[in-house]
Amino acid sequence: GENVEQHPSTLSVQEGDSAVIKCTYSDSASNYFPWYKQELGKRPQLIIDIRSNVGEKKDQRIAVTLNKTAKHFSLHITETQPEDSAVYFCASGGTSYGKLTFGQGTILTVHP
Amino acid sequence: KAGVTQTPRYLIKTRGQQVTLSCSPISGHRSVSWYQQTPGQGLQFLFEYFSETQRNKGNFPGRFSGRQFSNSRSEMNVSTLELGDSALYLCASSLDWVTRDTEAFFGQGTRLTVV
């Protein structure tokens, strides 16, 4: 079945720095790649997503890039703020009803 | 517009008991998916319902089941609870995966503890 590898598992940055999280997927038919942010004790929140017909998408300080050939996609957060501290999950889907396959998560800590 | 609502928020059950969790999707959303979240296994897909039909199922034992009602509300049931079933159970609602309206929005989850 589909597998998603996510790296790094933890990431510590200083406020104002950039943060990059990378994911690799195995199913070449996957066509939908969302990113979720989960704060402690809260629900996963969709922060940005990208479909396979697009190479890059940006929303203010957040951007996602997709390389279909290499089957990997990345989340870029610029000008990080302490409130960006959370667990970030990548996922892949679109080939199987209702199913997203998630990476193991990255704990991002932004130090003031 | 109200978000995805899950009830109850917390449950404590004893091994061998059964439990039913509820999920009310965003108004207009007809697809409801369920996930189990644990520290060791992460987020794992349980099943998906659309128009009262289960369209997809993950790799979980038959003790895990669900259903969906005509108003799109969904329930999942776990019978003969085991200690390893302790987890956060999340549901996610989407418009329709067939039309590629696949943005999934999660509820707050139900924290199940089996003792």
Side-chain angles (χ1 to χ4, degrees), chain A residues 98-102, chain B residues 6 33-37 42-47 60 76 88-92 97 104 106:
Chain A
K99 180 179 179 181
L100 292 172
T101 301
F102 284 85
Chain B
Q6 291 188 245
S33 298
W34 288 88
Y35 290 83
Q36 181 194 65
Q37 185 175 26
L43 281 145
Q44 292 191 295
F45 172 76
L46 282 154
F47 30 65
F60 279 82
M76 69 163 279
L88 181 66
Y89 290 89
L90 293 159
C91 77
W97 287 70
F106 283 89

Side-chain angles (χ1 to χ4, degrees), chain A residues 26-97:
Chain A
S26 61
D27 186 352
S28 56
S30 293
N31 55 43
Y32 178 62
F33 307 93
W35 286 87
Y36 287 87
K37 173 184 179 183
Q38 188 175 29
E39 296 175 77
L40 192 63
K42 297 195 174 178
R43 73 185 78 194
Q45 283 194 298
L46 178 67
I47 57 171
I48 196 167
D49 58 11
I50 192 167
R51 298 189 186 272
S52 57
N53 58 346
V54 175
E56 184 173 0
K57 184 176 178 180
K58 192 172 180 180
D59 182 4
Q60 297 183 344
R61 297 186 297 110
I62 295 173
V64 57
T65 58
L66 171 65
N67 183 326
K68 286 169 53 181
T69 303
K71 290 191 285 186
H72 67 69
F73 56 113
S74 301
L75 177 72
H76 303 253
I77 306 174
T78 59
E79 300 171 21
T80 54
Q81 301 166 4
E83 50 266 39
D84 294 329
S85 297
V87 181
Y88 291 80
F89 292 95
C90 64
S92 73
T95 62
S96 180
Y97 291 132

Side-chain angles (χ1 to χ4, degrees), chain B:
Chain B
K1 188 185 254 190
V4 182
T5 303
Q6 291 188 245
T7 57
R9 292 292 310 278
Y10 303 93
L11 269 177
I12 300 176
K13 291 287 188 177
T14 304
R15 273 181 299 175
Q17 287 187 314
Q18 73 154 15
V19 66
T20 299
L21 314 180
S22 178
C23 172
S24 293
I26 292 170
S27 178
H29 284 196
R30 297 165 66 191
S31 169
V32 175
S33 298
W34 288 88
Y35 290 83
Q36 181 194 65
Q37 185 175 26
T38 59
Q41 299 297 316
L43 281 145
Q44 292 191 295
F45 172 76
L46 282 154
F47 30 65
E48 187 256 7
Y49 285 86
F50 182 86
S51 292
E52 303 178 65
T53 300
Q54 184 184 90
R55 294 193 299 189
N56 200 2
K57 191 176 190 308
N59 296 323
F60 279 82
R63 300 184 298 106
F64 291 82
S65 63
R67 60 178 175 168
Q68 187 181 36
F69 302 94
S70 57
N71 62 357
S72 294
R73 188 178 71 86
S74 178
E75 289 181 346
M76 69 163 279
N77 185 78
V78 188
S79 62
T80 320
L81 284 165
E82 301 177 359
L83 294 178
D85 296 333
S86 295
L88 181 66
Y89 290 89
L90 293 159
C91 77
S93 82
S94 305
L95 274 168
D96 181 358
W97 287 70
V98 172
T99 61
R100 304 189 76 191
D101 288 318
T102 49
E103 288 183 343
F105 299 93
F106 283 89
Q108 323 94 297
T110 294
R111 172 73 63 183
L112 172 65
T113 302
V114 182
V115 297

